[in-house]
Amino acid sequence: MVALSPQTVMFGNPPTSGHQPSRSDLSAWMTEIESLAAGGGLSYVNSSLAALNQRPDVSAGQFALVLNTLDEAGVYEHAGGVWTKVAEVPAVFLESQAATQVLAARDEVVAAALAVALDASTAQAAAEASGLAAFFDTKAGADAGLASLAEDELIEVLADETQGGRRVRYRVVGGALVLKLVIGDMRADRNLAELADKDAALGILGLTSKGKELVKAATAAAMRTVLELKAGALAALATEAQAQAGTDNTAYMTALRTKQAVAAQVPELIPASGVEASVNFNGTGTVAIRGSGGNIAGITDNGVGAYTVNFAVDLPDANYSPLVVAGLANGSRAAPQVRNLTVSGFDIYVNNHGNGYGVDAEWVSAVVITH
């Protein structure tokens, strides 16, 4: 354990402003520290007491040094499972450490300032090399210096208060500053106008000759001309006659026109007639529809073997063709008939083929074809 504290060695006991450290005290104190290190007692050096407490596998009787500018700095001995401070770190050493930290902080500030200065000087040199006539810190400064600028000169404002503090370039036109470019907010309508050779600039972008023409087209009509489109939002759509004839090569085909063209060229593939409605129902007891498709609203039970098929939407006329079949569960043959065709529906009558009497049929199916 250190016999003399650094305060006693450096300032005396009691401390006095005129105290002069004696060589013998300094020698004794340094010899004690040296004996700790040489004897293996000073086992660890840490930047904080918390870090020292985290060290594993520490043996009793070991010494460690906590080195920082806080009150916890000092020499510690491990005893009873805990680290106990037994001596202070030399004040002169702590002062040297604090000075080092101050110098490091100062160096960081100087380095940052130097980087800013270099960046500004680099930017200014680049701007001057690009043909800028002058640099201004603010837009107000640029306005104040306008009288010294010549017509058509290009200037740059480093922090334009009228543009959210961004870097902005202006051109002197008619004695006024005209906005040409907001750095970081490139606009083709402002930048391209500044280029003498637009074709070369568009070529750098990888555009073909057709692409260049399209970019330079000033109106929608000019764009259509470049793309070889007809006038209007779209080229003309084919008429039914054009679709059926199949000879026009300038009009667009819709799905309907395609169907009409196929029907005209190969009529058997798409017949003119179509299935308007279909239904399958049980005609015994309470009539029940098993399945239906298209325009079926329901089935009306009119008595034994008599039914009405009702359309959901009236047909254009009553000249449709209903196809009806019926079957009986007992194996007897059923004879279905259709009557009273109207635009809203038609009647079905089912008779027993053997005796001619009406009979409720277990299976009745009907398909309606329009013409």
Side-chain angles (χ1 to χ4, degrees), residues 10-29:
M10 301 301 295
F11 302 107
N13 187 15
T16 62
S17 60
H19 176 78
Q20 294 293 327
S22 69
R23 292 184 178 182
S24 60
D25 286 345
L26 285 172
S27 176
W29 186 78

Side-chain angles (χ1 to χ4, degrees), residues 19-359:
H19 176 78
Q20 294 293 327
S22 69
R23 292 184 178 182
S24 60
D25 286 345
L26 285 172
S27 176
W29 186 78
M30 294 303 295
T31 299
E32 186 67 22
I33 293 295
E34 185 180 40
S35 66
L36 282 173
L42 192 58
S43 302
Y44 310 110
V45 177
N46 290 89
S47 61
S48 68
L49 179 58
L52 178 61
N53 286 327
Q54 296 297 318
R55 285 191 174 275
D57 303 324
V58 178
S59 301
Q62 287 185 309
F63 288 85
L65 181 64
V66 172
L67 193 59
N68 57 34
T69 58
L70 304 178
D71 291 339
E72 65 180 18
V75 178
Y76 286 76
E77 181 181 7
H78 194 266
V82 297
W83 288 101
T84 303
K85 186 174 181 179
V86 296
E88 300 290 341
V89 176
V92 65
F93 187 90
L94 293 179
E95 290 170 0
S96 175
Q97 184 184 26
T100 300
Q101 292 175 343
V102 170
L103 289 175
R106 184 203 63 183
D107 289 344
E108 290 181 1
V109 172
V110 171
L114 181 59
V116 171
L118 289 175
D119 182 68
S121 63
T122 301
Q124 182 170 3
E128 292 173 350
S130 68
L132 291 173
F135 248 133
F136 294 92
D137 291 331
T138 64
K139 176 62 164 55
D143 291 335
L146 180 59
S148 64
L149 300 174
E151 182 73 5
D152 206 42
E153 282 189 330
L154 192 65
I155 68 156
E156 183 166 306
V157 176
L158 296 178
D160 192 330
E161 66 274 19
T162 68
Q163 299 294 327
R166 289 175 290 181
R167 291 174 60 189
V168 180
R169 290 186 180 182
Y170 292 85
R171 186 176 294 280
V172 181
V173 179
L177 295 177
V178 177
L179 178 65
K180 288 298 179 182
L181 174 65
V182 177
I183 306 298
D185 188 19
M186 305 287 282
R187 287 181 51 179
D189 60 339
R190 291 176 179 169
N191 302 328
L192 194 58
E194 298 298 320
L195 300 176
D197 189 350
K198 297 181 179 59
D199 283 337
L202 294 174
I204 293 175
L205 296 177
L207 297 183
T208 63
S209 58
K210 185 72 72 174
K212 294 177 184 178
E213 293 178 20
L214 187 61
V215 170
K216 292 187 290 183
T219 64
M223 292 180 183
R224 283 196 298 270
T225 300
V226 172
L227 297 175
E228 300 178 2
L229 296 177
K230 291 186 174 181
L234 291 173
L237 298 177
T239 65
E240 182 175 357
Q242 289 174 318
Q244 291 175 339
T247 58
D248 192 305
N249 195 36
T250 61
Y252 288 102
M253 295 284 287
T254 63
L256 175 60
R257 293 292 184 257
T258 302
K259 177 182 177 181
Q260 292 167 339
V262 173
Q265 301 299 323
V266 192
E268 62 270 17
L269 293 181
I270 306 178
S273 60
V275 174
E276 179 66 28
S278 62
V279 65
N280 179 311
F281 63 91
N282 184 347
T284 63
T286 301
V287 174
I289 295 178
R290 295 188 181 91
S292 64
N295 192 18
I296 295 294
I299 304 297
T300 303
D301 189 347
N302 297 322
V304 178
Y307 316 96
T308 298
V309 177
N310 302 298
F311 299 139
V313 178
D314 288 354
L315 300 185
D317 54 56
N319 299 323
Y320 51 87
S321 298
L323 306 177
V324 180
V325 294
L328 304 177
N330 62 10
S332 300
R333 288 188 295 171
Q337 304 176 44
V338 294
R339 302 177 190 171
N340 307 321
L341 275 63
T342 69
V343 295
S344 60
F346 61 95
D347 295 333
I348 297 176
Y349 293 90
V350 180
N351 297 327
N352 187 309
H353 189 273
N355 56 30
Y357 295 128
V359 61

